[in-house]
Amino acid sequence: MSTSKNSVVDGSVRKSYDLIMARGKYQLELQDMRVFLFLLHQSHNRDDRSRLQRVKVVDVLQYIGHTSIDLLERSLKNLTDVKIEIDYQENGVPHSVGCHFLSYDVSRTFNGYIEYAFDPILMRFIFDPKIYAKINIALFKQFRTIQGAKLFEILTLFQKRKYRTWQVSLEEFRDRLGVPADQYTRFDNLRRSVIDRAVDECNSLAPFGVRTRYIRSGRGGRVTEIEFAIIPRRELPASSVPAKTKKAKNRDALTVDMLTGHTDEEIGRDLLVSDEALDEAISLLEAHGQGDEDLQSYIDEWREAATEEDISSGPSASFLRWLRVRFETQYASKSGILDADNLEQLMMEYQ
């Protein structure tokens, strides 16, 4: 099959403003966004985009980092079921669109294929868009939070504009990043658990830096708007760029760490979890409808199950991996998609 003149040879794909800013995407998970971006990338490489598209199952699984066809199909189902809304203008006339991302037919075997087609109405926004973001799919794959990935997509729209700033009301920000109205109702919680985390992840991965400013209603009033400004990475304060977590090769296990107050030997033996990891764990709990009062029971359960091999990368990283696998296992069990192969794959991800 020949590639089109617009073939994405640099590993990037154009995603339209309308798709990125569509309303109603809060039901999508990060893996769903990765699957859609990969399928979009494959379609941009084709000459005939109006017919059914075809891609190897194993290629999609390799990109999203899974071996479970059931989990892949879950993402395809979400992309089929979730309804999105797009507002646009044509010749000065406002329009409203309600549609889905795609329809699909997937072979339930690794050497099979996925046949898929984008929603016919959505097609007009997918190819040759007037305003779009150019997203590197390899970089996008590295994002670990859905809010960070969504903020990255949005800010990429502003990356090459004269005024590289996204100023947004608090209500619209919640809508665009998919934060339900009943979550993080206090601004300090929203800032700590959503805004700061998304900005930190962008500053860690994006080719640009992000600086935030909060706009209040009058002197001392509540925050009503947020301004996200794209800045050169060299202008980022050193404290805003997350440090690499890899330990020095010759690090002494008996040296007291300035941040934790413990030696590596003590941390490994007592399975101490950092404050940053605890904050991330609380966010995971909240995302799955649980409160931070459940955190200690999960820590205790993890400590009982962990082995020295499990914590070779550090207790904090091990605990967060274990917690994510625990939630994946719970979801798969409730959904009836957990079999021996899936369980083995989930445990491999933890180890």
Side-chain angles (χ1 to χ4, degrees):
M1 181 178 293
S2 61
T3 58
S4 70
K5 295 179 181 179
N6 295 323
S7 176
V8 188
V9 296
D10 60 352
S12 297
V13 62
R14 294 188 301 178
K15 191 171 184 181
S16 74
Y17 171 93
D18 304 282
L19 279 179
I20 291 174
M21 291 299 200
R23 290 179 283 112
K25 297 190 299 181
Y26 62 87
Q27 297 166 315
L28 292 182
E29 300 176 6
L30 182 55
Q31 178 175 292
D32 308 337
M33 294 177 63
R34 289 177 180 148
V35 170
F36 180 76
L37 193 67
F38 183 83
L39 297 180
L40 191 63
H41 176 267
Q42 295 300 304
S43 298
H44 271 289
N45 281 334
R46 310 288 169 82
D47 285 319
D48 187 356
R49 301 160 177 169
S50 61
R51 298 180 180 177
L52 278 176
Q53 307 293 310
R54 199 172 191 229
V55 65
K56 291 181 179 179
V57 169
V58 68
D59 288 346
V60 185
L61 289 173
Q62 183 177 5
Y63 174 71
I64 65 175
H66 268 296
T67 60
S68 169
I69 297 177
D70 289 320
L71 294 178
L72 170 59
E73 188 173 8
R74 187 179 89 190
S75 286
L76 293 170
K77 188 175 187 302
N78 287 343
L79 292 168
T80 301
D81 292 346
V82 170
K83 181 181 178 181
I84 58 173
E85 298 175 353
I86 297 173
D87 300 321
Y88 73 101
Q89 288 200 2
E90 188 173 42
N91 299 324
V93 178
H95 291 254
S96 295
V97 169
C99 60
H100 303 276
F101 284 100
L102 50 81
S103 55
Y104 72 93
D105 178 357
V106 58
S107 301
R108 298 185 57 79
T109 175
F110 287 100
N111 59 359
Y113 288 85
I114 300 172
E115 288 187 323
Y116 63 97
F118 297 111
D119 188 296
I121 293 182
L122 199 65
M123 290 282 288
R124 71 182 69 167
F125 303 104
I126 290 181
F127 303 112
D128 302 319
K130 295 179 180 178
I131 303 175
Y132 61 88
K134 193 173 183 182
I135 300 173
N136 183 289
I137 64 171
L139 187 151
F140 187 85
K141 180 183 176 181
Q142 297 179 48
F143 279 83
R144 290 293 176 263
T145 70
I146 192 165
Q147 287 84 10
K150 287 182 176 179
L151 182 63
F152 168 69
E153 280 192 340
I154 292 172
L155 292 182
T156 303
L157 288 168
F158 295 83
Q159 188 177 2
K160 295 188 177 181
R161 294 189 184 182
K162 182 177 180 181
Y163 300 103
R164 305 195 302 167
T165 300
W166 181 43
Q167 187 169 321
V168 60
S169 69
L170 212 54
E171 291 73 18
E172 184 180 354
F173 171 80
R174 297 177 69 99
D175 184 49
R176 297 301 186 196
L177 265 71
V179 183
D182 59 349
Q183 286 189 12
Y184 310 119
T185 53
R186 287 177 45 183
F187 177 75
D188 58 340
N189 290 335
L190 178 70
R191 179 175 179 175
R192 175 177 62 86
S193 300
V194 179
I195 301 173
D196 289 348
R197 290 183 183 281
V199 170
D200 286 347
E201 191 166 29
C202 282
N203 283 335
S204 175
L205 297 172
F208 49 78
V210 182
R211 182 173 58 215
T212 55
R213 183 171 72 93
Y214 299 100
I215 302 169
R216 298 181 179 273
S217 57
R219 182 175 297 178
R222 68 183 185 89
V223 173
T224 57
E225 292 183 301
I226 315 171
E227 180 184 276
F228 298 92
I230 294 177
I231 61 175
R233 290 192 60 83
R234 64 178 180 274
E235 294 183 13
L236 285 174
S239 59
S240 69
V241 181
K244 294 182 179 180
T245 57
K246 290 184 179 180
K247 297 179 182 178
K249 292 182 179 179
N250 298 322
R251 181 181 173 97
D252 187 350
L254 299 178
T255 299
V256 176
D257 188 278
M258 293 177 61
L259 297 177
T260 65
H262 297 274
T263 66
D264 288 353
E265 185 177 273
E266 290 172 336
I267 291 174
R269 182 179 63 247
D270 298 332
L271 299 183
L272 299 176
V273 181
S274 69
D275 290 340
E276 291 79 6
L278 292 177
D279 286 342
E280 187 168 345
I282 290 173
S283 295
L284 283 171
L285 291 173
E286 291 174 342
H288 289 81
Q290 299 185 40
D292 55 8
E293 65 274 6
D294 299 319
L295 179 60
Q296 189 58 51
S297 62
Y298 280 111
I299 292 176
D300 293 341
E301 184 177 347
W302 161 72
R303 283 173 173 163
E304 291 182 4
T307 66
E308 289 188 12
E309 182 178 353
D310 294 335
I311 62 169
S312 59
S313 59
S316 296
S318 173
F319 172 62
L320 289 174
R321 284 199 307 272
W322 178 88
L323 190 59
R324 291 190 186 99
V325 169
R326 177 64 183 271
F327 285 132
E328 284 282 0
T329 305
Q330 289 176 350
Y331 177 90
S333 179
K334 290 179 181 178
S335 303
I337 63 173
L338 183 64
D339 56 24
D341 291 337
N342 289 336
L343 180 58
E344 181 180 357
Q345 170 61 22
L346 289 171
M347 295 313 298
M348 284 175 62
E349 289 184 12
Y350 166 55
Q351 295 170 355

